[in-house]
Amino acid sequence: MVISDPGSVCSSTSPATPRDFPGLLELPTELIDTIFSYLTPLEIVRLSLVCRKLFVHATDDIHWHRHVLSSLPGNKIKSPYPCKTWRDLFVAHNQYWFLTKYKIWFCDRSLIGQVVIIRYDERRGCIEGYRLLATRSRDGGEPWAANPGVHIHYFEPKLALHLDKPILQFNVDSLENLMRISLSSPDSRTRATRRFFPEHPMRYSHGSDPRFSTFVLAKPLEEGDLVHHMEDHYPYGLVWPPPTIPATHRVLGHPSDIAGGLSPSHDQITSPTWRPSNRSEVSNLTFRIRQWMELGLPTIGFHIGEEIVTYSTLDPVLYTPTPERPWRGIWIGDYSVHGCEFLLINQPDIEEEGYKEPLVRLESESDEEFQARFLSQKVYRGRLEAIKLTGDPNVPRGEYTFLADDLGANGFVGIAREPPFQGARVVKSRGHVAGVGFIADKYIDSQLILVSHNRLAQYWLEFGHISFFERVDIDQFLVPS
């Protein structure tokens, strides 16, 4: 930069040196807090060890309030009760916040499985998980007016959490937290050591379940181990979740009824492919629950009926609808004698060149013309997959229940003209059926009726009946009433 002062000795300034800029500690408090807002909890803790001033910033509740709320989608709590500060609350459930962050979990228990909603109860400072149940409020059906030989099943599902029997529960006053608080107190003569425990006992407050339960952190399989264990047919080498469900973390499961009724061995449970040895190896997308009954006195008793159930979650992108992929979501379907079952409706992204570019309305287009072009070029494109999150003795959890290979021209059947589907687009689909025990499974011709973005109907041509599927609003279960 040229200096205009003729009396200046130098004709240009020298390059700026680090001393010309304020250091981190010299920045205003607001800027330091802004920098902290970009840090993870672990990074904040590491920075707090640098000096007293950064420790003060790191322990400011504004940062821990933000991290707590980021783990509670759909549940903006107002108070850190029963803890005194938001930081205390975050630390109390430090290893478990990923459970509420992803909120919906599904497991490999038997062929049927379970869907569990994990949420936080502000009144008790408790993280709790409950099984999501569904029943039909109306059975039966009626003949289709357009074809009396086809039966349309009534479907008015009722959903509720099984609040009498939590699947998991973590309280602020757990033994682990009480020990941590005691060892961290100024009066303690014992130095608290940082030890990693992959298995944590759970203490239920309901008292109705005689089983003992522990929560077990899981280690995701590395690519080489995944190739070694994963098989291309059911039960896929007991890997969970199965390949039908998009996932970045997969682990080894051990559903007892599918694994020959045997409990996992000690060597299996403690093997490096099964159990994490430190925090960096822990999966935040899977976990296990180990359950058993104990006979005899606590010190000399023995376990019976031990089982390990493996849980996984979903990337929210998979079940969050978009204008172009409007059927993505968690759904519930009618399976006749098997009752209601939960599904993931997955619409994979289309990788065609130019597809992701926004559609621009032409000057000469009316609203109706633009909407028709949007539906044709953006919505009625690609594949729709219905994947069971819970199953039945015929087609188990983790399997496709039906597939529509193309919502566009290649799969187009027509527009329904008869009630109750008039105006709905109808496309070709393939329904998945099997014998009891998932024997001799096959796909049969069917048709998918796109009733709305929240309701679908599957016409099973060979069986002569039509069953309904409805979108599930998971967020309605996240805030305890």
Side-chain angles (χ1 to χ4, degrees):
M1 180 175 65
V2 177
I3 298 178
S4 59
D5 184 1
S8 175
V9 175
C10 300
S11 61
S12 63
T13 59
S14 59
T17 65
R19 294 183 180 180
D20 297 326
F21 301 99
L24 175 62
L25 299 181
E26 298 171 329
L27 293 174
T29 297
E30 294 81 2
L31 289 181
I32 296 178
D33 286 336
T34 300
I35 293 173
F36 269 74
S37 70
Y38 291 95
L39 303 181
T40 65
L42 183 57
E43 290 169 339
I44 291 178
V45 171
R46 287 172 176 170
L47 203 54
S48 72
L49 302 176
V50 173
C51 66
R52 186 179 299 274
K53 183 172 182 178
L54 291 181
F55 175 82
V56 172
H57 281 278
T59 53
D60 192 320
D61 245 16
I62 187 176
H63 306 302
W64 302 103
H65 180 213
R66 181 177 61 254
H67 284 299
V68 168
L69 292 188
S70 69
S71 301
L72 300 176
N75 184 11
K76 302 303 181 184
I77 62 175
K78 306 297 184 182
S79 164
Y81 178 86
C83 297
K84 294 182 178 179
T85 67
W86 290 102
R87 180 174 178 270
D88 289 344
L89 177 58
F90 184 88
V91 172
H93 292 308
N94 179 30
Q95 297 192 72
Y96 312 122
W97 287 119
F98 73 95
L99 299 172
T100 57
K101 180 178 181 179
Y102 290 102
K103 63 192 176 185
I104 180 169
W105 299 79
F106 56 99
C107 72
D108 65 347
R109 188 177 188 183
S110 71
L111 296 176
I112 297 173
Q114 295 175 341
V115 166
V116 173
I117 303 297
I118 300 183
R119 64 187 188 179
Y120 177 77
D121 190 341
E122 184 179 10
R123 301 165 299 181
R124 298 179 291 132
C126 173
I127 290 178
E128 54 191 9
Y130 296 102
R131 184 179 177 185
L132 183 60
L133 302 176
T135 57
R136 286 187 297 244
S137 58
R138 183 184 183 190
D139 290 323
E142 61 185 17
W144 189 14
N147 184 351
V150 176
H151 197 73
I152 300 177
H153 293 274
Y154 299 134
F155 191 49
E156 299 172 2
K158 289 185 177 180
L159 280 70
L161 297 179
H162 190 7
L163 298 177
D164 294 333
K165 189 175 180 180
I167 300 296
L168 59 80
Q169 186 173 349
F170 297 108
N171 300 294
V172 167
D173 62 346
S174 66
L175 177 61
E176 178 186 7
N177 281 326
L178 294 176
M179 291 178 62
R180 175 182 54 79
I181 294 172
S182 175
L183 294 174
S184 301
S185 67
D187 299 331
S188 175
R189 297 183 179 181
T190 304
R191 181 177 177 84
T193 57
R194 298 178 180 177
R195 298 185 62 188
F196 173 75
F197 297 98
E199 190 164 352
H200 306 247
M202 288 191 290
R203 175 170 56 89
Y204 297 123
S205 60
H206 60 94
S208 63
D209 194 334
R211 294 178 298 178
F212 291 82
S213 296
T214 60
F215 175 84
V216 187
L217 296 168
K219 177 182 178 180
L221 289 169
E222 297 181 0
E223 190 63 33
D225 293 325
L226 187 60
V227 172
H228 173 72
H229 289 283
M230 179 81 81
E231 299 175 357
D232 59 1
H233 55 83
Y234 181 83
Y236 311 106
L238 301 182
V239 171
W240 189 254
T244 53
I245 298 177
T248 54
H249 287 184
R250 302 188 194 275
V251 297
L252 287 175
H254 196 94
S256 58
D257 57 338
I258 299 174
L262 301 175
S263 299
S265 65
H266 179 267
D267 290 341
Q268 181 179 355
I269 293 176
T270 57
S271 68
T273 59
W274 183 284
R275 189 172 186 170
S277 59
N278 55 63
R279 289 288 297 270
S280 65
E281 294 181 344
V282 173
S283 169
N284 65 340
L285 302 175
T286 58
F287 67 88
R288 301 183 181 95
I289 291 181
R290 187 162 71 99
Q291 297 176 322
W292 69 92
M293 295 186 68
E294 194 164 300
L295 298 182
L297 299 175
T299 55
I300 60 175
F302 59 93
H303 293 184
I304 63 170
E306 181 172 339
E307 70 169 348
I308 290 182
V309 182
T310 304
Y311 288 81
S312 181
T313 189
L314 299 164
D315 185 336
V317 171
L318 295 174
Y319 58 84
T320 303
T322 67
E324 294 81 10
R325 311 279 88 187
W327 289 284
R328 283 179 177 171
I330 307 300
W331 291 64
I332 186 170
D334 176 23
Y335 286 86
S336 187
V337 297
H338 298 305
C340 301
E341 299 179 22
F342 293 100
L343 318 172
L344 166 67
I345 298 292
N346 179 39
Q347 289 187 269
D349 287 327
I350 296 177
E351 301 300 333
E352 290 181 13
E353 184 177 353
Y355 175 81
K356 295 183 179 180
E357 296 180 3
L359 196 64
V360 179
R361 178 177 173 177
L362 304 177
E363 293 183 3
S364 59
E365 279 186 319
S366 64
D367 291 342
E368 293 77 10
E369 290 171 336
F370 175 72
Q371 179 65 15
R373 189 161 65 92
F374 180 81
L375 291 173
S376 174
Q377 297 185 17
K378 297 293 186 180
V379 177
Y380 297 140
R381 298 284 301 279
R383 177 181 171 98
L384 185 148
E385 305 170 343
I387 308 166
K388 289 192 173 188
L389 299 180
T390 58
D392 53 62
N394 294 80
V395 179
R397 75 289 179 279
E399 294 293 327
Y400 293 122
T401 181
F402 62 81
L403 296 168
D405 295 311
D406 185 16
L407 300 181
N410 291 335
F412 182 68
V413 174
I415 301 296
R417 298 180 179 178
E418 305 83 4
F421 309 113
Q422 59 266 40
R425 186 182 182 89
V426 183
V427 297
K428 298 176 184 177
S429 63
R430 295 179 288 137
H432 200 182
V433 298
V436 175
F438 198 44
I439 296 174
D441 70 301
K442 63 179 181 179
Y443 288 90
I444 61 174
D445 290 339
S446 57
Q447 294 178 358
L448 181 62
I449 306 172
L450 307 176
V451 181
S452 72
H453 294 165
N454 297 318
R455 190 170 174 88
L456 298 170
Q458 172 78 345
Y459 179 13
W460 305 83
L461 298 173
E462 186 174 318
F463 300 149
H465 68 77
I466 297 175
S467 54
F468 284 102
F469 301 83
E470 288 191 358
R471 184 185 300 277
V472 175
D473 177 16
I474 294 298
D475 289 351
Q476 66 178 303
F477 302 106
L478 298 182
V479 181
S481 57

